Amino acid sequence: MSVTSNAPASTTTPSSFGHPRRWTILGVLVVSLLVVVLDNTVLNVALRTIADPVHGLGASQSQLEWSINSYTLVFAGLLFTWGVLGDRIGRKRMLLAGMIMFGLASLLSSYAQTPEQLIGARALMGIGGAAVLPATLSIISNVFDPRERGKAIGVWAGSVGLGVAIGPILGGALLEHFWWGSVFLINVPIVVIGVIAILWVVPESRDPSRARLDILGVALSIVGLIGLVYGIIAGGDHGFGDIRSWGSILGGVAVLAGFVAWERRTAFPSLDVRLFRDPRFASATAAVGLVFFAAMGTLFFTAFYLQLVRGYSPLQSGLLFTPFAVAQLVFAPQSAAMVRRFGPKAVCAVGLALVAVALFGFTTLGVHTPIWLVGFYFFIQGVGMANVMPPVTESIMASLPREKAGVGSAISNTVRQVAGALGIAVLGSILSGVYRARIGDHLGSVPAGQRAAVGDSVSSTYGAAANLTAQGQPAAAGRLMDAGNSAFIAAMHWAAWGSVAVAVIGVAVVLAWLPARSAPIAGPVSESDRDAAELADTAVELAEV
C-alpha cells in the first residue's frame, strides 16, 4: 500500500486548489440537504390525513399550523448560531450532529400519539435541520475553488428546488399506501446512509483564526430571531393586531437591534455587521428574502387550491409540482454560466421578473382553469427561482473570506426562513381576511353557533358541507361548497397580487444595487486550506485501499 501526495504543483493556478473529491462531496451534501428540504414539503400533503380523527391524530387547525411552525420557529432561530458554531468547532462535526438529531426526531415524529407530541418532535427536527443546512453550503465554499463554486452552488440550489417539488409527490405516494407517520419515517434510512457517507467522504474544516466565541451575540441572535418569527407566526394565527403578534415582533426587533449594536463594538463579533455596507452583500440578501416571501406564500395557498377547490388527491396535486422541479433541475446548474456571460444583476433581475410573471398567473386562476396552465405557471416560477438563488447566493458567499463561510450561509438561510415565514403569515392573513369577508353572507344553512368556525377557512367550510350531505341536505352542501370556492378564489387572487408586488420590489432592489459583474476571482487559498484538502484526500485514498 502506498500513499501518493496530492499537493498542488503550483500556488498560482487556482483551478488546482479545489478538493480532489469535491464533486463526490457535493453529492453527499446534496443528499444531506434533500432530507431536510423534503420533510417540510412532504408534510404539507399529509396535513389533512393528520387531522383525521380515525386515520390520523385528530389535530385541530391550530395544531396543524404549529406542527409546521414549531419547526420553522426553532429552525430560523438557530440557523445563524449553528453556522457560527460550525465555523468554530468544525463543519463536518456540526453536519453529523444535525443529521443524527434530525433522524432521531423524525423517528419520534412518525410514532407520535398526540398532536402535542408531534409538535414537540417537529421542534427537535428543527434543531437538527438548522445544523445541517448552513454546514452544507459552508463545506461547498471550502472544498470548491472560486472558479467552480458558482456551478456547485447552482447544483446545491437546484437540489433545494428539487426537494421542494418532489416532496409533495413522495408524500402523496406514501399516504396512498402507508399510515401518516411514513412521511417522517422515510427520513430515517436516508439519514443513516447520509451519516455513513459524511464520515467516509466529507473533510473537516473550520475557521483557522479560532477567535473567542461571542456568547452574548449568539444569545441575542437566538432570542431576537425566535421573538421575531414567533410574532410573524402569531400574526398569521390571530391577526397582527393581537399583542402576541406585534408585542413579540417589536420585542424581537429590539433584541436584534441590541445584537447589531453589540456586534459593532465587540472585538470578536459573530457577525461583522459592516458586511451590509457592501452593496453586493446587502442587495443579494434582500433579494433572497423578497423572492422567498413571495414564493412561499404562494405555494401555501396553491396547495389548498389544488386539493380542495380542484379536488385533486395529495399525489395528484404533488405531481403538479413536477414542472417546478424540472425547471430547477435544468436551469439552476446552468445559471453560473449565465452569470459569467451576462453578470449577476441581469440574471437575477430576469429571474425575479419571471417569478413575478408566474405569480401574476396565479391571479387569473379560477375553479375551472385548465390545469395545464397551473403546471405552466409552476414551470415559469421554477425557471425564475433557478436564476435567482445561485447568483445571489454566490454574491453573498463571495463577499466573505472562505473561513467565514458558515456565517455567510447561515445569514442567507436565516433570511430565507424568516422571509418564508413572513410570506406565509402575511399573505395567509390576507387570504384569511378576504375569505372570511366573502363567505360570511353564505352561511345561512349553518347553525348560528358554528358559523364562526365554519367560515374560518375553506377547509372548515368543506367540512361543514360534508356534514350537511351526511344529514341529507346535498343541495345546501353544494351551495356552501360553491360559496367556499368563490370566496377562496377571490382571497387567493388578493394574496397573489401581494406576492407579485413583493417580487417586483425585488427586481427594483437588484437593478439598483446588485453589481453588474461578479467580483474578481480570489487568489490562491491559504496553506491551511490546501493542507486540509491534501490530508482529507489522503484519508479517502487510505479508506479505499
Side-chain angles (χ1 to χ4, degrees):
M1 179 179 68
S2 63
V3 177
T4 303
S5 172
N6 295 288
S10 169
T11 61
T12 60
T13 56
S15 62
S16 67
F17 296 139
H19 192 285
R21 307 283 177 179
R22 56 195 177 277
W23 294 107
T24 302
I25 294 169
L26 179 62
V28 173
L29 297 177
V30 163
V31 171
S32 303
L33 179 66
L34 270 176
V35 72
V36 174
V37 176
L38 272 173
D39 179 74
N40 287 323
T41 54
V42 164
L43 179 60
N44 287 334
V45 299
L47 292 176
R48 291 183 66 189
T49 306
I50 294 173
D52 191 312
V54 177
H55 300 102
L57 299 177
S60 68
Q61 183 70 23
S62 177
Q63 289 168 333
L64 289 176
E65 291 173 359
W66 274 105
S67 69
I68 296 174
N69 293 336
S70 63
Y71 180 95
T72 301
L73 184 66
V74 175
F75 190 89
L78 292 177
L79 264 174
F80 177 76
T81 297
W82 282 177
V84 170
L85 290 178
D87 285 341
R88 305 296 173 88
I89 69 175
R91 292 145 186 156
K92 176 180 179 178
R93 188 174 300 171
M94 185 62 69
L95 179 59
L96 284 169
M99 288 286 285
I100 292 170
M101 169 66 81
F102 193 87
L104 292 175
S106 297
L107 187 62
L108 291 174
S109 296
S110 66
Y111 290 103
Q113 300 300 305
T114 66
E116 291 76 15
Q117 290 178 7
L118 177 61
I119 291 168
R122 287 280 297 162
L124 293 177
M125 291 176 70
I127 296 175
V132 170
L133 200 58
T136 59
L137 190 53
S138 58
I139 290 171
I140 287 172
S141 293
N142 274 269
V143 300
F144 279 90
D145 180 83
R147 294 182 184 274
E148 292 182 319
R149 185 173 57 197
K151 184 176 181 180
I153 289 175
V155 174
W156 179 90
S159 69
V160 173
L162 176 64
V164 168
I166 69 174
I169 302 173
L170 177 62
L174 288 170
L175 291 172
E176 288 201 357
H177 297 91
F178 306 101
W179 96 114
W180 67 267
S182 63
V183 300
F184 298 109
L185 193 61
I186 191 65
N187 294 335
V188 176
I190 302 175
V191 166
V192 170
I193 294 171
V195 167
I196 294 172
I198 292 166
L199 289 169
W200 192 276
V201 175
V202 177
E204 184 60 281
S205 64
R206 58 175 59 86
D207 184 348
S209 67
R210 299 185 182 276
R212 188 172 68 240
L213 181 62
D214 176 21
I215 297 177
L216 178 59
V218 165
L220 288 173
S221 72
I222 293 174
V223 173
L225 285 169
I226 288 181
L228 176 63
V229 175
Y230 177 81
I232 291 168
I233 292 170
D237 286 345
H238 311 292
F240 285 93
D242 191 290
I243 189 172
R244 285 171 289 184
S245 175
W246 62 261
S248 183
I249 289 174
L250 290 178
V253 170
V255 172
L256 290 175
F259 167 75
V260 171
W262 170 255
E263 295 301 287
R264 293 183 64 181
R265 59 180 294 187
T266 184
F268 301 99
S270 298
L271 170 63
D272 186 354
V273 294
R274 292 172 297 182
L275 288 170
F276 289 94
R277 297 176 183 173
D278 183 345
R280 174 178 52 172
F281 184 88
S283 59
T285 303
V288 170
L290 291 167
V291 75
F292 270 90
F293 180 103
M296 295 307 294
T298 304
L299 291 174
F300 175 75
F301 63 68
T302 52
F304 289 96
Y305 168 75
L306 292 172
Q307 291 193 40
L308 291 175
V309 176
R310 301 305 297 267
Y312 289 101
S313 70
L315 178 57
Q316 290 170 328
S317 61
L319 287 170
L320 286 168
F321 284 89
T322 303
F324 185 89
V326 171
Q328 290 281 318
L329 286 172
V330 172
F331 290 95
Q334 306 301 320
S335 64
M338 299 292 288
V339 170
R340 285 194 297 270
R341 182 173 181 181
F342 300 106
K345 174 181 286 191
V347 174
C348 189
V350 170
L352 275 163
L354 287 174
V355 170
V357 169
L359 297 178
F360 171 77
F362 290 112
T363 68
T364 68
L365 297 182
V367 178
H368 303 293
T369 300
I371 202 63
W372 67 266
L373 269 178
V374 178
F376 176 73
Y377 295 146
F378 277 137
F379 180 80
I380 296 300
Q381 185 178 3
V383 174
M385 294 283 285
N387 285 285
V388 172
M389 294 311 299
V392 297
T393 305
E394 165 67 8
S395 294
I396 291 171
M397 302 306 290
S399 304
L400 299 167
R402 294 173 74 183
E403 64 270 14
K404 301 294 184 182
V407 174
S409 97
I411 292 170
S412 173
N413 286 293
T414 299
V415 168
R416 183 171 66 85
Q417 287 295 319
V418 172
L422 183 59
I424 291 174
V426 173
L427 297 179
S429 294
I430 294 173
L431 188 78
S432 297
V434 175
Y435 184 82
R436 293 188 191 107
R438 295 295 182 98
I439 195 65
D441 296 332
H442 300 276
L443 300 178
S445 58
V446 178
Q450 301 176 20
R451 289 175 186 173
V454 169
D456 186 63
S457 68
V458 68
S459 298
S460 301
T461 303
Y462 266 70
N467 289 334
L468 288 172
T469 301
Q471 295 168 8
Q473 304 180 57
R479 288 192 298 270
L480 185 58
M481 290 177 64
D482 289 341
N485 288 341
S486 177
F488 183 82
I489 292 296
M492 183 178 72
H493 289 170
W494 276 89
W497 276 114
S499 64
V500 170
V502 171
V504 171
I505 292 171
V507 175
V509 168
V510 167
L511 290 176
W513 290 293
L514 196 68
R517 290 291 169 186
S518 300
I521 296 297
V525 296
S526 65
E527 286 291 334
S528 60
D529 282 332
R530 191 161 57 249
D531 291 343
E534 180 181 351
L535 290 172
D537 182 59
T538 301
V540 172
E541 291 290 339
L542 288 170
E544 290 177 343
V545 174

